[in-house]
Amino acid sequence: MDVAVLVYDGVFDSGLSAILDVLEGANAMSGEIAHPPTWNVTKVGFRPQIRTGAGHLVTARPADRARSADLLIVPALAERRPEALVDHVAGEASLPVRELIARTCARGTPIASACTGTFLLAEAGALNGRRATTSWWLAPVFRTRYPAVELDQSRMVVACGDITTAGAAFGHVDLALAIVRASSPALADLIARYLVVDERPSQSAYTIPSALAQSDPTVAAFERWVRAHLAEPISIPEAAKALGVSERTLQRTVQRVLGTSPVRFVQDLRVEHAAHLLRTTGLSLETISRKVGYEHANTLRVLLRDRTGKTTSALRSS
């Protein structure tokens, strides 16, 4: 497979390196399995030398080389601030990147990206009508700006047709492994063992609900109210009344900002606090359950496993 990895000014160094390292590792280890696939990787850009987000210079072949590639990979932009990120991906500086993505998409060539790079794909229109993911902490601004994209902020890697997206900065490793796995699951497992990379199918265990809530004043107020009543039975109509909004407004606002229901967000907050207590105290699961509003410990046990992917014993030792 001929793979073009796009490098552009401000590209995230670790993301770029992770992709190159995993694919190079796949080529180096291919002799250890039968009928191995190989990847011919070329860094392409709009100038012979590109300055990364950390200030390093990377050499690149002309971007036109992407025209003959079997896959275009767009690493993330080294920008954490949501407003600055949106300004950049929508601005003149990123126009060549967006145009290359649009042309590649129009040809039907597969594209892959991770973290903030998914904003470039969305801005170019490549994700319209598709399911995709991005970094969990950028989900609210992504969902607001790109309503035509079906955002799944829980998954680490989402493949939809010929476009694959991954969440989080170090989701580039997961993205590259997914590319290898599509051709050889055995080789992907081998690389993961050598790199000591655990399977991370979901971002849910890493999500900080309070960070997401700050994207909107109503949701932030709802989060504070829920935390103050965490050990009590929580009524969404009562919460709406306390916040001075209608229940319908609260439901719609939480769904728009977080992509989930108020009831599920309450569960997320309870799971987050329960996991914290398991890690930091010697309290029994029964006591913790009552502290986060559950009468039966088994209800909490099931939720913890579902949301974090870990048992209560594993959470205690983590």
Side-chain angles (χ1 to χ4, degrees), residues 270 273-279 281-294 300 304 316:
R270 283 174 161 162
H273 190 54
H276 172 73
L277 292 174
L278 282 167
R279 294 187 182 103
T281 74
L283 295 173
S284 68
L285 185 63
E286 289 73 16
T287 300
I288 292 174
S289 297
R290 290 192 294 272
K291 284 182 174 293
V292 298
Y294 292 114
L300 177 60
L304 284 166
R316 278 200 187 279

Side-chain angles (χ1 to χ4, degrees), residues 133 152-158 165-168 170-171 174-175 200-203 206:
T133 192
D152 182 352
Q153 69 191 68
S154 67
R155 306 301 300 170
M156 190 65 76
V157 179
V158 171
T165 52
F170 291 101
D174 303 88
L175 179 68
R200 301 178 298 177
S202 174
Q203 294 189 68
Y206 306 93

Side-chain angles (χ1 to χ4, degrees), residues 197-314:
V197 178
D198 293 328
E199 184 180 10
R200 301 178 298 177
S202 174
Q203 294 189 68
S204 300
Y206 306 93
T207 300
I208 304 173
S210 57
L212 296 176
Q214 302 313 306
S215 303
D216 180 271
T218 298
V219 180
F222 177 55
E223 185 231 351
R224 291 192 296 271
W225 187 90
V226 171
R227 288 191 185 278
H229 299 80
L230 209 57
E232 308 165 15
I234 288 180
S235 162
I236 301 305
E238 183 181 341
K241 183 178 180 180
L243 299 179
V245 298
S246 68
E247 182 183 356
R248 178 178 172 83
T249 295
L250 180 59
Q251 294 273 3
R252 294 177 65 178
T253 304
V254 172
Q255 184 67 45
R256 174 178 56 80
V257 175
L258 303 180
T260 191
S261 68
V263 169
R264 187 176 175 89
F265 184 55
V266 170
Q267 291 175 341
D268 289 341
L269 293 173
R270 283 174 161 162
V271 165
E272 178 194 52
H273 190 54
H276 172 73
L277 292 174
L278 282 167
R279 294 187 182 103
T280 60
T281 74
L283 295 173
S284 68
L285 185 63
E286 289 73 16
T287 300
I288 292 174
S289 297
R290 290 192 294 272
K291 284 182 174 293
V292 298
Y294 292 114
E295 183 178 352
H296 302 292
N298 194 54
T299 302
L300 177 60
R301 183 182 287 108
V302 171
L303 269 175
L304 284 166
R305 186 62 182 265
D306 179 61
R307 302 296 171 83
T308 70
K310 295 182 178 181
T311 64
T312 53
S313 298

Side-chain angles (χ1 to χ4, degrees), residues 14-35:
S14 295
L16 173 62
S17 298
I19 289 167
L20 297 176
D21 286 344
V22 170
L23 294 180
E24 175 57 32
N27 285 332
M29 298 177 199
S30 61
E32 300 188 33
I33 65 169
H35 310 295

Side-chain angles (χ1 to χ4, degrees), residues 160-182:
C160 185
D162 52 10
I163 295 185
T164 304
T165 52
F170 291 101
H172 288 82
V173 173
D174 303 88
L175 179 68
L177 285 173
I179 291 168
V180 175
R181 186 170 286 109

